[in-house]
């Protein structure tokens, strides 16, 4: 390590300003870094690039997590999904790696959630969603009235990092460049990564995941963005671990038992999840333990254990479609589930795969009806769209929704109103879809 005196005067000043920020800014209360401000300064470029959407989103997400009883959302993987979610009033977007693997990856393949897709797929979908939200904003501005803040925070799934600490460092940078506000990393072995609700999960040592979290934080610091770092543990259900090198893991490793691959058998459960959460807490902004079923008492036990040592630490909860909800809970408990989680400290709550289930079910429903009855099936859907306009739904006017009117405004600006080739003027949408909304 070079001493501070080896830095240029400008770099020393930048490092000292960063040190002061870490020591005094409430945003960094309870956040531990095992590297120095001068390390960050050395890794930065001479000309800092502004990552406005990521920075603004991270600041907004952090504020919402502290101002709201809880922030709840679900997984989107298309721009249109995200736009409708924001129009309906949700204040954040979750981007699930499972959904990207299944239907939105850059290999154009259908994959299970096993990190089989190209590592830059999620950053590209972050960018796609941000572009869609920006277009919605531009459309409203071109019409003279913006109804909401369209640029909601996106929390993105970075899985197990697709490799080691350097892969995590670069993936985090790619997420920030795309405009992600929050990123989560899980403590599985990247080369054997599985969905949290599949079998065969292999944990890495606690110390290795701390290095992952530090790599993510270092990348965000280098980029100058206060990215919300979420640490996920799969220790509640994982049955294997790569090594017994970390003494914190040894109470949960079954002695003398090895798999054909050389992995150690791991004694999973909530106690293992709590132990890992406590180890990760100083290095993360939010803690998430993946669970096997929706259980308020288990959630309370985990929350109390974390809050006992880290009272200000935020928690996240996956309201997973992998749970058969009615098998475990009655209607009354389901109705209060979000609220009670929020009271325990689970400030970020998300249905990981709701977008995928929504697309599949409602496409199937329309296809089945159209197969059996023809056009009445679609017309019934269209009538629901017309009725929903009174509640703020706008996508029934699909030409307007994707920006035909916005680009008409571009043409009008260029021709100063003398254009004869406008798209919406004379369209069927103008003629047939402009009846008053009641």
């Amino acid at each position: 390590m070079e001493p501070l005196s080896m830095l240029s005067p400008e770099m020393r000043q930048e490092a000292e300003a960063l040190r002061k920020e870490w020591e005094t800014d409430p945003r960094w209360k309870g956040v531990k870094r095992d590297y120095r401000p001068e390390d960050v300064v050395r890794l930065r470029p001479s000309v800092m690039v502004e990552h406005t959407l990521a920075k603004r989103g991270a600041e907004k997400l952090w504020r919402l997590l502290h101002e709201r009883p809880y922030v709840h959302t679900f997984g989107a993987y298309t721009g249109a999904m995200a736009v409708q979610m924001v129009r309906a009033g949700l204040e954040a977007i979750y981007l699930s790696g499972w959904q990207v693997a299944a239907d939105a990856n850059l290999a154009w393949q259908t994959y299970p959630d096993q990190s089989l897709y190209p590592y830059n797929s999620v950053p590209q979908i972050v960018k796609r969603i941000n572009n869609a939200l920006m277009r919605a904003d531009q459309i409203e501005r071109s019409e003279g009235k913006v109804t909401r803040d369209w640029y909601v925070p996106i929390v993105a799934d970075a899985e197990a990092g697709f490799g080691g600490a350097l892969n995590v460092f670069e993936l985090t940078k790619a997420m920030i460049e795309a405009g992600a506000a929050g990123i989560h990393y899980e403590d599985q072995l990247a080369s054997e990564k599985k969905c949290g609700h599949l079998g065969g999960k292999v944990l890495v040592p606690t110390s290795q995941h701390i290095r992952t979290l530090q790599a993510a934080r270092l990348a965000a610091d280098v980029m100058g963005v206060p990215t919300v770092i979420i640490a996920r543990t799969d220790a509640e259900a994982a049955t294997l671990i790569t090594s017994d090198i970390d003494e914190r893991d040894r109470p949960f490793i079954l002695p003398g038992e090895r798999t054909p691959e050389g992995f150690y058998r791991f004694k999973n459960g909530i106690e293992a999840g709590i132990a890992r959460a406590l180890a990760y807490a100083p290095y993360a902004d939010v803690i998430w333990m993946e669970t096997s079923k929706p259980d308020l008492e288990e959630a309370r036990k985990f929350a109390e254990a974390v809050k006992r040592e880290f009272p200000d630490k935020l928690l996240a909860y996956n309201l997973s479609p992998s749970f058969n909800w009615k098998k475990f809970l009655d209607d009354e408990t389901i109705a209060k589930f979000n609220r009670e989680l929020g009271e325990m400290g689970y400030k970020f709550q998300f249905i990981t795969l709701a977008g995928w289930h929504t697309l599949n079910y409602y496409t199937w429903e329309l296809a089945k009806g159209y197969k059996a009855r023809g056009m009445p099936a679609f017309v019934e859907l269209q009538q629901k769209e017309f009725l929903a306009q009174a509640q703020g739904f706008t996508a029934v006017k699909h030409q307007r929704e994707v920006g035909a009117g916005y680009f008409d405004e571009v043409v009008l600006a260029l021709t100063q109103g003398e254009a004869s080739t406008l798209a919406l003027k004379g369209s069927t949408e103008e003629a047939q879809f402009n009846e008053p909304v009641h």
Side-chain angles (χ1 to χ4, degrees), residues 291-303:
T291 62
S292 302
K293 61 183 183 298
D295 186 332
L296 286 173
E297 288 311 308
E298 179 187 60
R300 181 173 286 105
K301 181 177 180 180
F302 179 79

Side-chain angles (χ1 to χ4, degrees), residues 34 92 104 111:
D34 291 336
Y111 284 130

Side-chain angles (χ1 to χ4, degrees), residues 144-272:
K145 183 181 180 181
V146 178
T147 62
R148 70 205 70 221
D149 180 0
W150 285 98
Y151 303 95
V152 303
I154 300 171
V155 175
D157 184 352
E159 306 215 351
F162 292 83
L166 295 181
N167 304 82
V168 170
F169 182 83
E170 288 297 295
L171 179 55
T172 302
K173 287 169 57 184
M175 294 284 200
I176 291 170
E177 288 170 346
I183 308 171
H184 70 75
Y185 285 95
E186 61 208 50
D187 58 359
Q188 292 190 46
L189 177 64
S191 61
E192 296 288 348
K193 180 263 184 307
K194 307 290 193 302
C195 166
H197 301 109
L198 290 174
K201 292 183 289 296
V202 183
L203 299 175
V204 296
T206 295
S207 56
Q208 185 173 335
H209 193 57
I210 289 174
R211 191 178 181 201
T212 291
L213 299 173
Q214 285 285 273
R217 181 78 70 194
L218 177 60
D221 285 340
V222 168
M223 303 287 270
V225 176
T227 307
V228 177
I229 304 295
I230 302 172
R232 167 177 146 180
T233 179
D234 284 86
E236 191 267 347
T239 57
L240 303 170
I241 188 170
T242 60
S243 170
D244 65 352
I245 192 66
D246 194 315
E247 63 182 16
R248 291 168 291 192
D249 296 325
R250 291 172 190 162
F252 306 101
I253 294 175
L254 302 177
E257 295 194 32
R258 303 287 289 273
T259 70
E261 302 89 348
F263 300 134
Y264 292 82
R265 300 286 181 184
F266 188 81
K267 182 182 177 182
N268 58 26
I270 189 171
E271 296 303 331

Side-chain angles (χ1 to χ4, degrees), residues 303-324:
E304 289 176 349
V306 173
K307 294 287 188 177
R308 192 175 300 118
E309 292 196 29
F310 300 94
D312 297 325
K313 194 60 62 176
L314 304 175
L315 304 175
Y317 197 95
N318 176 9
L319 303 156
S320 178
S322 294
F323 306 153
N324 184 341

Side-chain angles (χ1 to χ4, degrees), residues 20-155:
K20 184 177 180 180
E21 178 190 336
W22 292 354
E23 291 173 352
T24 62
D25 191 333
R27 170 63 180 86
W28 305 121
K29 180 184 178 183
V31 171
K32 184 177 181 181
R33 293 171 169 90
D34 291 336
Y35 51 85
R36 306 170 304 166
E38 48 267 41
D39 297 322
V40 174
V41 170
R42 282 197 186 91
L43 294 172
R44 284 178 171 175
S46 297
V47 178
M48 287 291 287
V49 177
E50 292 292 330
H51 301 285
T52 306
L53 292 179
K55 184 176 182 180
R56 184 180 186 275
E59 291 170 347
K60 183 175 182 181
L61 177 61
W62 190 250
R63 186 174 67 252
L64 289 172
L65 291 172
H66 287 83
E67 291 178 352
R68 301 287 188 267
Y70 54 87
V71 176
H72 59 314
T73 187
F74 58 82
Y77 59 97
T78 75
M81 285 182 187
V83 168
Q84 297 313 315
M85 291 165 66
V86 177
R87 191 175 294 284
L90 292 180
E91 295 184 299
I93 300 292
Y94 177 68
L95 179 52
S96 157
W98 192 105
Q99 293 188 148
V100 170
D103 205 22
N105 60 78
L106 297 182
W108 309 118
Q109 287 283 356
T110 299
Y111 284 130
D113 187 15
Q114 295 179 230
S115 289
L116 296 171
Y117 59 82
Y119 84 98
N120 59 334
S121 296
V122 171
Q124 287 300 305
I125 303 303
V126 172
K127 183 176 181 180
R128 169 69 192 106
I129 289 173
N130 271 322
N131 285 344
L133 297 175
M134 183 176 291
R135 179 70 73 223
D137 175 50
Q138 290 171 324
I139 290 167
E140 288 197 342
R141 281 179 63 89
S142 73
E143 295 171 346
K145 183 181 180 181
V146 178
T147 62
R148 70 205 70 221
D149 180 0
W150 285 98
Y151 303 95
V152 303
I154 300 171
V155 175

